[in-house]
């Protein structure tokens, strides 16, 4: 077992981010066996679940004339527009059936406010609205995090950067992550994470 101050954070291993899903990440399901094995080793395991209402402002369909993967300005900054995905209560929003979600101790849902997206497990994209995860971890004496899941260059990277800024020691286990890689986003975020002191294992 890993020491009790070290938590595993499993980001968005949901049907819509896996092959056949609405925002499929290439080989998104190839990481699940390794994640299941890791979950059994950690005394604190947190799953995140992207959980959007159908009218969510990150969906291209809710912006007249806008194409998926284009960018718009939101009050909190630039926002990529996505195909509709992880709509609350749908099969696409469910955890992949192979994921041992029974081994998790906490599920953090994010992105449920229509006006704001939330890539990070800690803060929504305005960088102000908290999910409460940092408080949960601190109350349990956790100082170190290992992050795995989908997608490396969006929800995993935003979570890693926020967690490092909050003072946690952060490792991203890259072999248990897969990326969307939109216009070089993977290399850009790997650089940002390294510069922030995130260990890219
Ligand atoms: C994600 C785009 C939109 C992710 C979530 O989990 O990386 N990416 N919503
Ligand atoms: Zn989303």
């Amino acid at each position: 077992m890993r020491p009790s101050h070290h938590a595993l954070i499993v980001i968005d291993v949901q049907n819509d981010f896996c092959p056949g899903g609405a925002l499929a990440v290439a080989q998104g399901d190839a990481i699940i066996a390794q994640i299941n094995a890791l979950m059994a080793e950690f005394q604190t395991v947190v799953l995140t679940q992207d959980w959007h209402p159908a009218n969510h402002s990150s969906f291209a369909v809710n912006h007249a004339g806008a194409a998926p993967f284009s960018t718009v300005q939101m009050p909190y900054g630039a926002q990529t527009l996505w195909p509709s995905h992880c709509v609350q209560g749908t099969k696409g929003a469910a955890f992949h059936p192979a994921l041992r979600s029974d081994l998790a101790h906490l599920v953090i849902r994010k992105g449920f406010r229509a006006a704001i997206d939330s890539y990070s497990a800690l803060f929504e994209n305005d960088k102000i609205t908290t999910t409460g995860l940092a408080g949960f971890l601190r109350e349990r004496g956790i100082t170190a995090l290992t992050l795995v899941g989908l997608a490396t260059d969006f929800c995993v990277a935003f979570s890693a950067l926020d967690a490092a800024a909050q003072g946690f020691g952060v490792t991203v286990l890259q072999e248990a992550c897969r990326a969307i890689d939109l216009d070089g986003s993977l290399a850009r975020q790997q650089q940002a994470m390294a510069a922030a002191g995130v260990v890219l294992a």
Side-chain angles (χ1 to χ4, degrees):
M1 279 306 247
R2 308 289 178 114
S4 61
H5 71 272
H6 195 169
L8 179 70
I9 315 292
V10 180
I11 305 288
D12 295 3
V13 181
Q14 295 167 257
N15 288 321
D16 270 344
F17 296 123
C18 290
L23 181 44
V25 179
Q27 300 184 311
D29 55 348
I31 61 178
I32 295 174
Q34 189 182 359
I35 292 174
N36 286 340
L38 278 170
M39 284 199 284
E41 286 181 27
F42 280 82
Q43 299 183 48
T44 300
V45 176
V46 178
L47 306 183
T48 69
Q49 191 171 27
D50 215 34
W51 194 250
H52 299 307
N55 66 343
H56 197 254
S57 56
S58 79
F59 294 172
V61 71
N62 294 322
H63 298 257
F69 307 105
S70 63
T71 304
V72 291
Q73 286 300 320
M74 302 282 272
Y76 55 81
Q79 171 69 48
T80 303
L81 296 181
W82 303 104
S84 299
H85 64 278
C86 297
V87 174
Q88 295 168 359
T90 65
K91 182 172 173 230
F95 292 115
H96 190 286
L99 183 73
R100 286 283 312 273
S101 56
D102 58 303
L103 296 175
H105 306 110
L106 176 73
V107 175
I108 287 273
R109 287 177 169 164
K110 59 186 181 62
F112 50 75
R113 295 178 178 87
I116 179 166
D117 205 3
S118 185
Y119 295 146
S120 163
L122 286 82
F123 291 97
E124 302 200 358
N125 286 9
D126 62 359
K127 306 279 181 203
I128 298 166
T129 308
T130 178
T131 66
L133 179 58
F136 169 87
L137 296 170
R138 285 194 189 106
E139 276 204 22
R140 292 171 70 115
I142 288 160
T143 55
L145 308 178
T146 292
L147 270 59
V148 297
L150 306 170
T152 321
D153 43 343
F154 286 92
C155 290
V156 174
F158 274 67
S159 299
L161 292 168
D162 280 351
Q166 288 289 306
F168 294 97
V170 183
T171 299
V172 170
L173 190 56
Q174 294 191 97
E175 65 179 6
C177 299
R178 289 293 183 275
I180 294 174
D181 203 11
L182 195 60
D183 301 323
S185 54
L186 178 59
R188 217 165 33 243
Q189 293 289 43
Q190 283 171 328
Q191 254 179 7
M193 288 190 280
V198 173
V199 176
L200 298 171

